[in-house]
Amino acid sequence: MICLRGVFLKNQRSSFAVSIQRFIQQSRTSDEELEALGAVRLTFQSFAPKQQTDKQPVFILHGLFGRKSNWFSLAESLCKETDRKVYVLDARNHGDSPQSQLMDYPSMAEDIQLLMRHEGITKPALVGHSMGGRTAMTFALTKPLMVERLAVLDVAPRNMNPNSYFPEFVTAMKNVDFGQAHNLAQAQALAEEQLAPTIKEEIVRKFILNNVAENAKEGTYYWSLNLDAIGRNMPHLMRFISYNRAYHSDALFVGGANSDYFT
C-alpha cells in the first residue's frame, strides 16, 4: 500500500487556493452545483466486457496535448484482461470535450466527479498519464473514498521545471498556417514542417499532429486543442500543490528510465 502525499508550495495565488478549497469541500455537490462551479461534461469512449460484472470501471486520463483516441487500443485490451468497463476521456480543452478558460487540477478533477455522477459510478480505478496523472492524484488526495485504486504513468507528485518547453510548443502551434492545405494529410504535413524547428523529436510532433482537425463544411483545418486556455494556464499545469492529505489505497507509479517528468 503506497501513501501518496501532496507537495507543499509557497506563495500560491489566492484564486488558485480558493479553487482548491472549493474542490475539497464539495463531495456531496449536485450535478448543477458542479457545473455552476465550472465543471464540464467530458466526452468519452467506453469499452464494455462481454458479460456484465460488479467490478468498478476504469477511467483512463490522457496527458497534455493528448486525446482519448490515443488510448483506445490499450483500453480495449484492459477491458478484455480485467472484465471491467473502461472509459477513455477527453480532458477539457482537448479533443471533443468542451472548452473552458479555467484549467487547473482541481477543476479537471471536478470534471471527473461530474462524469461519475452522470454514469452512476461510485468508485472507479483511475489510470492517468502525465497531466492526466496529476488530475488522478488530485482526485485521489481530495476524494480518497471515491477512488478504488490509482495508477500514475510517467509523472510524479512534484513541480515541473518552470523553464519547460511546453509554452514554446503552444506558441509554435498557434503560429501554424494551414492555409494551403486541401485535405487532412496536407494539413498535418504543413503543420509538421512548421513545428519542426521548435519540436525537434519526430515522435512528439506525430503525437501532437493527432490534434489537427477538419471543418468539412468550410474546408478549413484547425487545432482541436484550446491553445489559448492551455497556454494561459500553463503555470497551473506545471505545478503540483499540497492538500495536506494522504491517499492510502493501492497506488502504482510507472516511469520511463529516461523520463524528465518522473525523477
Side-chain angles (χ1 to χ4, degrees), residues 99-205:
Q99 299 191 349
S100 172
Q101 293 307 306
L102 180 62
M103 193 174 183
D104 55 34
Y105 293 112
S107 299
M108 290 189 284
E110 288 171 5
D111 299 341
I112 303 303
Q113 185 176 358
L114 183 61
L115 177 60
M116 288 171 59
R117 289 186 181 275
H118 275 283
E119 292 295 301
I121 297 167
T122 57
K123 197 173 184 180
L126 299 182
V127 177
H129 171 245
S130 189
M131 179 187 76
R134 289 167 176 261
T135 301
M137 286 188 285
T138 297
F139 197 95
L141 285 168
T142 54
K143 306 292 183 186
L145 298 181
M146 297 175 71
V147 180
E148 185 199 47
R149 62 189 62 194
L150 176 70
V152 179
L153 314 179
D154 206 36
V155 72
R158 65 172 181 83
N159 298 328
M160 291 185 65
N161 187 339
N163 297 319
S164 167
Y165 41 75
F166 287 138
E168 297 177 13
F169 286 11
V170 171
T171 299
M173 293 165 72
K174 291 171 70 173
N175 289 334
V176 167
D177 181 5
F178 294 109
Q180 302 302 314
H182 298 291
N183 54 54
L184 184 60
Q186 286 184 0
Q188 291 176 323
L190 283 170
E192 181 167 21
E193 181 181 356
Q194 294 172 67
L195 292 175
T198 301
I199 305 176
K200 308 293 186 182
E201 296 183 63
E202 182 180 8
I203 191 171
V204 177
R205 292 198 304 273

Side-chain angles (χ1 to χ4, degrees), residues 15-141:
S15 61
F16 195 52
V18 169
S19 179
I20 298 163
Q21 282 301 113
R22 179 189 69 194
F23 177 69
I24 291 174
Q25 293 169 357
Q26 62 181 11
S27 61
R28 298 184 181 274
T29 48
S30 67
D31 290 3
E32 292 77 12
E33 289 171 319
L34 279 169
E35 292 184 82
L37 290 168
V40 303
R41 299 194 182 194
L42 303 179
T43 60
F44 63 87
Q45 176 72 43
S46 62
F47 298 81
K50 292 182 179 180
Q51 294 185 342
Q52 187 174 358
T53 70
D54 58 359
K55 295 180 179 179
Q56 289 288 345
V58 179
F59 283 7
I60 298 180
L61 317 179
H62 66 71
L64 186 63
F65 306 133
R67 55 188 301 128
K68 61 181 182 292
S69 58
N70 301 144
W71 294 88
F72 283 175
S73 178
L74 184 142
E76 187 172 12
S77 297
L78 191 61
C79 174
K80 292 178 180 178
E81 292 293 329
T82 64
D83 288 325
R84 292 174 182 251
K85 189 172 185 178
V86 179
Y87 289 77
V88 191
L89 320 180
D90 271 336
R92 63 169 60 196
N93 296 320
H94 289 69
D96 300 316
S97 281
Q99 299 191 349
S100 172
Q101 293 307 306
L102 180 62
M103 193 174 183
D104 55 34
Y105 293 112
S107 299
M108 290 189 284
E110 288 171 5
D111 299 341
I112 303 303
Q113 185 176 358
L114 183 61
L115 177 60
M116 288 171 59
R117 289 186 181 275
H118 275 283
E119 292 295 301
I121 297 167
T122 57
K123 197 173 184 180
L126 299 182
V127 177
H129 171 245
S130 189
M131 179 187 76
R134 289 167 176 261
T135 301
M137 286 188 285
T138 297
F139 197 95
L141 285 168

Side-chain angles (χ1 to χ4, degrees), residues 211-254:
N211 294 291
V212 177
E214 179 181 11
N215 183 328
K217 183 179 293 186
E218 298 182 6
T220 57
Y221 301 88
Y222 62 97
W223 294 107
S224 60
L225 301 159
N226 184 351
L227 293 172
D228 287 336
I230 292 172
R232 189 181 312 109
N233 288 281
M234 193 64 71
H236 295 324
L237 300 177
M238 292 296 100
R239 61 189 178 185
F240 194 77
I241 49 97
S242 168
Y243 300 94
N244 197 26
R245 296 183 174 202
Y247 174 73
H248 293 285
S249 296
D250 292 339
L252 173 69
F253 287 77
V254 180

